[in-house]
C-alpha cells in the first residue's frame, strides 16, 4: 500500500468516526440521511479534484480537517465516557479507555453499515467496522500521517472475523503493517458504552 493510500485510509477512518460522533450527539445532530448526503458531497468534490488536478491540495485540506476532528472526537469520548478496547498485534498491546460505537444503518448513516467502533487516545485511532465492504479493523497514528508510528490493518481478503455479542466485540485477524514491517497476528476485544 502506498503512502498516499495509507494516509487516505487513516483520514477516511477519522472522517467516518466524525460522522459517527455527529450522528450520535443528540437532538441537534444530523440524521443518517444528512450524514449520507455530506459523504456523497465529499465524494463528488474528490472526483472533481481528480479531474481538475487539485487532488494534492484537497488531500492536505482533508488531513488538516482530520487532525481537527481527531481532537474533537477525543474530547467527545472524554465527555461521554464509557466502554473500552484492547488490541494486541504481535508483541504490542494498546488499551483504549473510552470508545464511541454505533449499530445499524440509521445510527451510522451509511447504507449496508452494521457496526462502527472508534477510539482515539495518545495520538492513535483504533477503528473497527462491519459494512457493505466487509469486516475491517485498523490502528493508525493520527498525529503524523507522513511518518506514522503505527499503521496496521487487515487486508480485504480476511473474510468475516469480527464477532458481535450485544455490546461486546472481538476478533482475530492477520494485520498488514503499512510502515513496511512484517504482517502480524492480532486479536482485539472491546465493550461499547
Amino acid at each position: 500500500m502506498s503512502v498516499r493510500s495509507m494516509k487516505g485510509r487513516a483520514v477516511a477512518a477519522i472522517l467516518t468516526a466524525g460522522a459517527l460522533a455527529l450522528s450520535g450527539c443528540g437532538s441537534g445532530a444530523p440524521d443518517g440521511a444528512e450524514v449520507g448526503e455530506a459523504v456523497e458531497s465529499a465524494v463528488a468534490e474528490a472526483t472533481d479534484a481528480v479531474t481538475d488536478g487539485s487532488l494534492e491540495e484537497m488531500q492536505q485540506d482533508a488531513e488538516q480537517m482530520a487532525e481537527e476532528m481527531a481532537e474533537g472526537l477525543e474530547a467527545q469520548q472524554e465527555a461521554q465516557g464509557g466502554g473500552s478496547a484492547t488490541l494486541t498485534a504481535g508483541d504490542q498491546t494498546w488499551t483504549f479507555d473510552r470508545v464511541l460505537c454505533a449499530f445499524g444503518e440509521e445510527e451510522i448513516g451509511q447504507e449496508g453499515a452494521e457496526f462502527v467502533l472508534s477510539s482515539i487516545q495518545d495520538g492513535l485511532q483504533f477503528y473497527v467496522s462491519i459494512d457493505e465492504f466487509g469486516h475491517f479493523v485498523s490502528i493508525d497514528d493520527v498525529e503524523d500521517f507522513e511518518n506514522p508510528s503505527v499503521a496496521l490493518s487487515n487486508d480485504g481478503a480476511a473474510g468475516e472475523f469480527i464477532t458481535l455479542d450485544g455490546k461486546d466485540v472481538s476478533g482475530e485477524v492477520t494485520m498488514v503493517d503499512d510502515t513496511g514491517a512484517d504482517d502480524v497476528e492480532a486479536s482485539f476485544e472491546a465493550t461499547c458504552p
Side-chain angles (χ1 to χ4, degrees):
M1 183 175 281
S2 70
V3 172
R4 180 180 298 261
S5 59
M6 286 176 7
K7 291 192 298 187
R9 191 193 75 233
V11 169
I14 292 170
L15 296 177
T16 301
L20 158 71
L22 288 174
S23 65
C25 284
S27 61
D31 63 22
E34 290 171 322
V35 173
E37 288 171 15
V39 170
E40 286 177 18
S41 174
V43 169
E45 222 176 281
T47 303
D48 291 344
V50 170
T51 305
D52 70 18
S54 62
L55 184 60
E56 192 65 35
E57 181 180 318
M58 186 173 177
Q59 183 175 354
Q60 290 171 352
D61 291 346
E63 288 175 18
Q64 176 65 35
M65 188 167 84
E67 289 172 12
E68 292 169 5
M69 288 186 92
E71 292 172 10
L73 284 168
E74 197 166 9
Q76 184 176 357
Q77 286 171 194
E78 202 56 43
Q80 289 183 349
S84 64
T86 301
L87 168 67
T88 299
D91 61 357
Q92 292 188 295
T93 298
W94 297 273
T95 301
F96 296 84
D97 297 330
R98 293 173 179 83
V99 298
L100 295 174
C101 297
F103 297 86
E105 292 180 5
E106 191 172 305
E107 281 186 26
I108 298 168
Q110 176 188 343
E111 188 175 333
E114 183 179 334
F115 175 74
V116 172
L117 175 147
S118 177
S119 182
I120 296 176
Q121 184 174 306
D122 301 325
L124 301 177
Q125 181 186 27
F126 178 53
Y127 183 78
V128 180
S129 69
I130 302 173
D131 60 25
E132 64 181 321
F133 302 107
H135 289 212
F136 182 76
V137 62
S138 67
I139 184 167
D140 288 291
D141 184 336
V142 293
E143 290 186 341
D144 188 352
F145 293 107
E146 295 295 328
N147 301 298
S149 60
V150 63
L152 296 171
S153 65
N154 65 284
D155 66 13
E160 296 182 0
F161 61 89
I162 299 171
T163 302
L164 282 177
D165 182 13
K167 291 194 172 194
D168 295 327
V169 59
S170 61
E172 294 182 4
V173 68
T174 301
M175 296 185 84
V176 176
D177 192 326
D178 293 329
T179 65
D182 294 333
D183 296 354
V184 293
E185 295 304 312
S187 63
F188 59 91
E189 57 185 33
T191 301
C192 293

